């Protein structure tokens, strides 16, 4: 999840009177109604495909990252992160710090793939302990990269893209860690965990797209710092216990008949793992509702000068941008979890989510129009319908379909990232 790198006093977007090299005034397309396709981006003399418009590159060049307010734990740990950063050589680029943190997530994910490929068996204790270390090391380094950029005078919008792009894909490692010790593979519970996690991450970028402030906490007590370090400590604790015996207990067995007797049968017969995942789902929904509330009532969306109809149009336009990630969530639930390998489904859906989330991050910085329908999600949705409806498709066939999509999404994402980074580097002369 995105780390609070620096705390800048947020405020309304600054209107620039700058002009482009062609003499035109850059246009903010954030609220441009756009359903099926974004405005076409003109190619230059090189004829290379472009992912960012000339106006978008201008806005990226003057972009400033604005996180929300820090939590108490952020303020407490900030000197510790600064202390660690001061040990880094000045020749280490901030993006290398980000990459090293991301490699920790890659290590945890790779080891879990070997020992618990489909999250239906519990991995060895040392693997869970390794994941605990990797989770905390990743987040600590994630909080250090911004400090290193300011320390070396190399802060740039590319750093935010690089940082949050890694955060986006590293959510899969956090998901794998939790799923491995609660052993929820091959069930709809796993789909619930993944869809709520990735949809919530997308919504954070969606909120920044409209408000220009990236939220990372609810109040002063709970934020991404608390969540990430809690995930690490929870994994460490789980490496020391009999996880199968602990999580398979029912609520009635834990609370006793005197307490559990007042609960509905469907609740008291829940295993602890399912009860905790239900709590996560409810908490995620509450946070999503709060995010929606912050966006649709934000002064940039619901301007005081607007009429009721104008305000409603802006709010509907903002909410419509959630259609594609919501469709991805529905697609995940369309696929019967027993008809495919959980890992194949997870990676394919995760890459699809990651691609559209990265696009939202870049378009938010570039103030470009984001279409309601993101066509990159369509292959996964078509595959989900096919697997759901075709009784002749075997499990091996379904795995093959998702495997092909994994390679396609990997190529598509790397291609898009490469084109985007090339454009930003050319614009910033880095």
């Amino acid at each position: 999840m995105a780390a609070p790198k620096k705390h800048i006093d947020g405020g309304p977007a600054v209107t620039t009177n700058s002009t482009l090299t062609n003499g035109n005034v850059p246009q903010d397309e954030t609220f441009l109604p756009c359903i099926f396709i974004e405005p076409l981006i003109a190619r230059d003399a090189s004829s290379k495909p472009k992912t960012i418009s000339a106006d978008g590159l201008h806005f990226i060049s003057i972009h400033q990252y604005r996180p929300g307010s820090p939590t108490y734990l952020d303020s407490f740990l900030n000197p510790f992160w600064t202390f660690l950063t001061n040990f880094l050589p000045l020749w280490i680029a901030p993006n290398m710090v980000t990459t090293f943190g991301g490699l920790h997530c890659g290590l945890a994910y790779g080891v879990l793939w070997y020992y618990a490929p489909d999250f239906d068996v519990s991995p060895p204790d040392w693997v869970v302990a390794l994941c605990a270390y990797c989770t905390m090391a990743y987040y600590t380094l994630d909080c250090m990269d911004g400090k290193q950029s300011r320390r070396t005078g190399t802060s740039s919008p590319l750093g935010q893209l690089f940082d949050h792009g890694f955060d986006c894909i590293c959510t899969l490692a956090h998901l794998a860690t939790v799923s491995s010790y609660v052993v929820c593979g091959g069930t709809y519970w796993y789909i619930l965990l993944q869809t709520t996690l990735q949809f919530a991450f997308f919504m954070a970028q969606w909120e920044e797209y409209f408000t220009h402030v990236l939220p990372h906490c609810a109040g002063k007590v709970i934020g991404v710092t608390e969540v990430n370090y809690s995930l690490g400590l929870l994994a460490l604790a789980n490496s020391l216990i009999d996880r199968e015996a602990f999580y398979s207990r029912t609520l009635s067995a834990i609370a006793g008949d005197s307490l559990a007797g007042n609960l509905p049968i469907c609740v008291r017969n829940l295993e602890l793992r399912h009860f905790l995942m239900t709590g996560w789902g409810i908490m995620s929904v509450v946070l999503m509702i709060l995010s929606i509330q912050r966006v649709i009532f934000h002064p940039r969306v619901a301007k005081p000068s607007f009429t009721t109809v104008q305000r409603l149009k802006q709010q509907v336009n903002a909410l419509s941008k959630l259609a594609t990630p919501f469709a991805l969530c529905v697609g995940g639930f369309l696929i019967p979890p027993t008809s495919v390998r959980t890992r194949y489904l997870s990676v394919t859906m995760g890459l699809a989510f990651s691609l559209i989330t990265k696009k939202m991050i870049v378009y938010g910085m570039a103030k470009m129009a984001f279409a309601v329908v993101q066509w990159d999600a369509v292959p996964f949705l078509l595959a989900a319908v096919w697997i759901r409806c075709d009784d002749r498709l075997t499990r091996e066939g379904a795995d093959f379909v998702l495997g092909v999509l994994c390679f396609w999404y990997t190529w598509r994402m790397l291609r898009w990232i490469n084109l985007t980074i090339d454009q930003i580097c050319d614009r910033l002369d880095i």
Side-chain angles (χ1 to χ4, degrees), residues 227-250:
V227 170
N228 278 274
Y229 282 132
S230 293
L231 286 174
L233 293 173
L234 189 61
L236 182 62
N238 273 274
S239 70
L240 305 174
I241 64 174
D242 182 347
R243 295 179 291 280
E244 181 59 31
F246 182 77
Y247 286 109
S248 61
R249 295 179 300 166
T250 63

Side-chain angles (χ1 to χ4, degrees), residues 211-226:
T211 68
H212 296 172
V213 177
L214 180 66
H216 58 76
C217 63
K220 287 282 189 178
V221 180
I222 299 297
V224 293
T225 300
E226 290 76 9

